[in-house]
Amino acid sequence: MPRGRYSLHDPHDHTPLAHEYFQCAPGPSGWRYVSRLTTPTGDHHGSVDLTLDALGRPLRLELRASDWQVRGAAIEGVTWVRTDPTGSHATEGNVPAHAFTGTSPAFLIATTRLLRLTPTASATRVRLVAFTDPVLAPRTVDQSWALLEREAHTTDNGPLTVDEYQVTALDTGEQHSVHIAGDVVLAAPGIELEDLESPPSTFD
């Protein structure tokens, strides 16, 4: 069960945004990721709880940020309920999309589990609902994912397979790389893996 800490920063000006303390593991239903976020000064900032089924679809999502809350799942596309900080107003949403995304590294792992790309496969288009900080506002985004390279590295704990993905935002054409080993993000825009207490999990 990998556990560790990511640092999150603005990918454009590198302003520190948060630390994300996480643990994740495959399970009978698929894969689960839980984390708590703190500001750079150590104050509570939010949390992530994401469970995927065996096909990589979101069985359950719970996000918290600045007292806003989102609960969602893959139902007729993706469906969610967003609640304001006072708890007095809740809005429902539904979009014919494949899954969710956001600032947490959990969503990058979730997208790769959903797409199951191979290095010989062509780029695959995916529609996602992104929840943007600081108020978890929903926004539908279209991306293209391609697995550019799969490389094995020798470590003290045995071979570590690292996948390099190219992600393209289809509305702007902007591209970036994401490096993932098992269920841990090694590098991505705005994300740095600062600490890892145990090796990444491997998927069948």
Side-chain angles (χ1 to χ4, degrees), residues 110-121:
T111 303
T112 64
R113 298 306 303 150
L114 180 70
L115 298 180
R116 308 289 177 96
L117 299 174
T118 63
T120 58

Side-chain angles (χ1 to χ4, degrees), residues 2 149-163 179-186 193 196 198-202:
E149 185 178 16
R150 175 167 287 160
E151 187 174 359
H153 297 265
T154 302
T155 71
D156 294 339
N157 297 308
L160 180 69
T161 300
V162 178
D163 291 337
H179 292 81
I180 291 176
D183 56 358
V184 173
V185 176
L186 302 181
L193 179 63
L196 185 64
S198 55
S201 302
T202 57

Side-chain angles (χ1 to χ4, degrees), residues 19-65:
H19 296 291
E20 185 162 344
Y21 298 84
F22 73 94
Q23 63 184 54
C24 55
S29 64
W31 182 72
R32 187 179 182 197
Y33 177 103
V34 293
S35 70
R36 60 181 179 86
L37 290 90
T38 64
T39 66
T41 57
D43 296 327
H44 178 71
H45 185 60
S47 62
V48 179
D49 190 339
L50 174 64
T51 301
L52 306 180
D53 68 11
L55 298 178
R57 298 171 300 192
L59 277 178
R60 183 173 65 89
L61 169 67
E62 183 174 312
L63 290 179
R64 295 177 183 269

